[in-house]
Each structure stands twice: as structure tokens, then as C-alpha cells.
Amino acid sequence: MLPAISTREAGRWTRFQFERLIADAALVDISERSSRDGDATLTPADLAEWRAVHGRWVYPTILLVRTGYAAYWSNRTRYFGISPKEPDVRHFPGLSAEAARELAADSAVVGVGIDTPSVDPGISHDFLAHQILFSKNIYALENLADLSRVPASGIRILAMPMKIGGGSGGPCRVVVNLPAQPPTA
């Protein structure tokens, strides 16, 4: 659901809305933990560790979370965390409710992106990360492709949602401006 982006003035996007679509990006990598634990979550400690190294976020920032699960995209069972032993339970990483609350309290954060099917971990039944983020008008970008080349800071991101009506979400093209790679010999 992208309520802040869907409102328009006189048929034109407002500057505020574009600022929320073209933003600085910060990447927090929890892929090592996610490789060991399919129920791993982004925690406030992960956010504090990122800020200790890179500083505070500046408005507008889209926080990206690399879990490493994009590598499983071609394996539906693994990507969606489907287990034959627990057919009604999913196991894939997401945001803890505490991390979502911290992000929602930070006025610099306008969006959160993750390389899993949901910002909530697969085991969630109450979808608190969704509720917390959306209550503060912070949008979610889910199912992001390979984030392995995205650095932790110093990048720009462009999120281009498809204009659809009446839905709670929809497809979005996400482009990250990666730093130039030095030429190889």
C-alpha cells in the first residue's frame, strides 16, 4: 500500500512524492545470519551497527535489507520457505517488529526494501512490520533482485511503482545506481 505516493495535485506528482521515490539508499546485510537461520530478522542492533559505521540517514532514505534469499528465487520451495513438515508455516527472513518501530520513528526513512517475499518474516501471522511501517507512511519494496553488488552506503535508488487503482500494492521497478566499477585489465 502506497498511500503517500498515490495522492496527486492537479494530475501531477508533488515534489514530496518524487523525493520518496528517488532517494539515498542504505543497505544492511543480514545474509550471513539468514544463511544459518531461515527465520532470521533485522534487529535494532543491526541498525545501530550500520549507523555506528556509516552515520545517520538523511531524508529521504530507502533502507535495503540483504538476506541473500534472492539467490533462491528459482527454487520456489526454498525462496518462500515452504516445508513439507509445516505446510502452513513459511520460513524466510524479515524485519523484527522492534526494527520496524525504530525505522518508523526515523523521519529520514521513506521506504524499506528486502530480497524476500515480505518485509515480515515468513513465520509472522500478525504482520507487525507491515502495520508499523505503513502506519507511518513508509512503503515496502519486496522480492528485490540480487543485492549482492549493492554497497552499504553512497548510492541512489529509484523506485517506480506501476499506477494501478484499488489495490493494496502492485509491481514496482527498482533501479539502484551502483558506483562505477574500475576497468579490468
Side-chain angles (χ1 to χ4, degrees):
M1 182 164 42
L2 305 171
I5 296 170
S6 63
T7 58
R8 297 188 296 159
E9 289 181 12
R12 296 183 183 196
W13 290 100
T14 66
R15 179 172 178 242
F16 171 76
Q17 290 150 337
F18 273 122
E19 284 178 349
R20 295 172 52 84
L21 298 175
I22 303 170
D24 288 334
L27 182 127
V28 179
D29 190 343
I30 64 168
S31 60
E32 186 177 319
R33 188 166 64 241
S34 297
S35 69
R36 296 187 311 271
D37 179 7
D39 297 324
T41 59
L42 177 76
T43 66
D46 297 319
L47 300 174
E49 183 180 321
W50 189 96
R51 284 192 301 265
V53 173
H54 303 283
R56 302 226 28 102
W57 299 302
V58 178
Y59 179 86
T61 294
I62 298 172
L63 181 79
L64 302 176
V65 181
R66 179 181 3 197
T67 68
Y69 266 56
Y72 307 132
W73 177 251
S74 62
N75 180 340
R76 179 181 170 88
T77 302
R78 178 72 194 260
Y79 183 75
F80 288 99
I82 300 168
S83 168
K85 296 177 184 175
E86 302 173 285
D88 296 332
V89 179
R90 301 290 181 256
H91 297 280
F92 55 80
L95 278 66
S96 69
E98 296 79 16
R101 281 188 194 93
E102 191 169 318
L103 293 170
D106 192 320
S107 61
V109 177
V110 298
V112 175
I114 193 164
D115 60 355
T116 63
S118 175
V119 291
D120 280 288
I123 58 173
S124 177
H125 294 289
D126 51 13
F127 305 103
L128 284 176
H130 276 88
Q131 293 179 50
I132 293 164
L133 294 173
F134 293 175
S135 73
K136 295 297 184 178
N137 228 5
I138 296 173
Y139 59 84
L141 303 169
E142 302 168 334
N143 294 303
L144 291 177
D146 183 15
L147 296 173
S148 64
R149 293 182 27 216
V150 177
S153 64
I155 54 174
R156 297 283 288 165
I157 186 169
L158 171 61
M160 301 173 282
M162 181 182 287
K163 183 179 173 182
I164 59 172
S168 63
C172 183
R173 176 81 60 194
V174 179
V175 179
V176 175
N177 186 13
L178 295 174
Q181 298 292 324
T184 58

